Amino acid sequence: MGSCFSSNRSKFKKELTFLVNRHLKFFEHEAEFLNKLDGNTEWIPLAVTHYEEYLEARAKENRFFPPPIDVAWIWHLHLLHPVNYNDYCTKKFSKVITPLNGELTSKNPAFNSSKKKPTKSSIKLPKNSDNVEATWEELHEKQLGFYRKVANFKPTQNQIKRMVIHYLRFLHLMSTNEGVLVPTIEIDIVWHSNLHHPELYEKACKAIVGKLVNHNDLIEEKKLSNRYQETTKLYQNHYPGSYGIFIWSTTPNNNDDFCPCPEEVCDGNCGSCGGGGADCGGNCDYGGGHHCGGDGGHHHSCGGHHHSCGGHHHSCGGDTGASNCGSNCGSNCGSSCGGGGGD
């Protein structure tokens, strides 16, 4: 798979689709490890020490070199903060280390050593909502919550293609807006997948947005809530359909062929862009949602009961308001923000 932002825009969308499938496999491989933790974070400092040692060896080897499963999770946490990750790699190794295909999905067991003590990490982490440097434990808890929301997420390949298009639209919105934008959970999955390939992510950002866009999952939930509503308005001003409920539509409508993707990311062959589903009348993959005219879907529905942004229960802009938007809500809102000067 190519490592650069492709001038062949269809190829780029295929690359993203590949990365999403790989990312979902990553969660499958991490599942047993994460499910056994049961709130335990004592393993993290030593795993961070092993991660730094691993990354240094990986930089020297420059070959397929799968890390232990706990180190893979720490690498994942670091990759989700591209500004910090790129700065660390560049200063430490004079290059950015990109995981090779299969490295993060290896099932190598966690390195267990009761004798070895963790060393102080040299990695600078992003600041949290209190404007102090976050801890690895904070990053872990944030992403553990996200993992639990998507653990049983099994989209079809056509749904993944739609997710990719809406992610590219989301990126493009960042070029039109200086504020913080908040993704839906489906868009956030594609975003995380792209972040697992830092070289491709940086080139895509510079081609579409004009700069490297940071990914921040440490913003306080009240701000996430407010910015999610603003993102919804911005999206609907630019694109057809309603933000957060179009991925799961199974009923074609006139919007399905309409793809105002920026020239940089769309080659005009947009039959799979999605964008429809705003008025799908209840014909959603997991049951009708409130927006669809149904009584609330069971799982990942079109504005339904469970994972929705505009539905009935854990919503970001639905019947009960947006108070739970963010990494701890059971909604379709993603766990992170982007845009706005690197926020």
Side-chain angles (χ1 to χ4, degrees), residues 198-259:
E199 183 182 0
L200 183 65
Y201 178 70
E202 182 171 3
K203 290 183 178 180
C205 283
K206 288 182 178 178
I208 299 170
V209 187
K211 62 181 180 181
L212 178 66
V213 176
N214 205 13
H215 173 275
N216 189 350
D217 57 3
L218 296 169
I219 295 176
E220 63 180 340
E221 292 195 14
K222 183 178 181 180
K223 185 175 182 180
L224 278 177
S225 169
N226 293 336
R227 291 308 306 171
Y228 183 85
Q229 294 182 57
E230 292 302 314
T231 305
T232 298
K233 294 176 185 177
L234 184 66
Y235 187 98
Q236 292 179 175
N237 285 339
H238 282 77
Y239 304 120
S242 297
Y243 191 56
I245 65 171
F246 33 56
I247 300 298
W248 311 107
S249 171
T250 58
T251 303
N253 69 26
N254 292 333
N255 287 332
D256 283 337
D257 292 326
F258 180 70
C259 182

Side-chain angles (χ1 to χ4, degrees), residues 169-178 181 208-210 213 262:
R169 291 177 176 180
F170 178 78
L171 270 188
H172 183 243
L173 286 181
M174 294 183 192
S175 69
T176 69
N177 180 74
E178 288 299 316
L181 301 184
I208 299 170
V209 187
V213 176

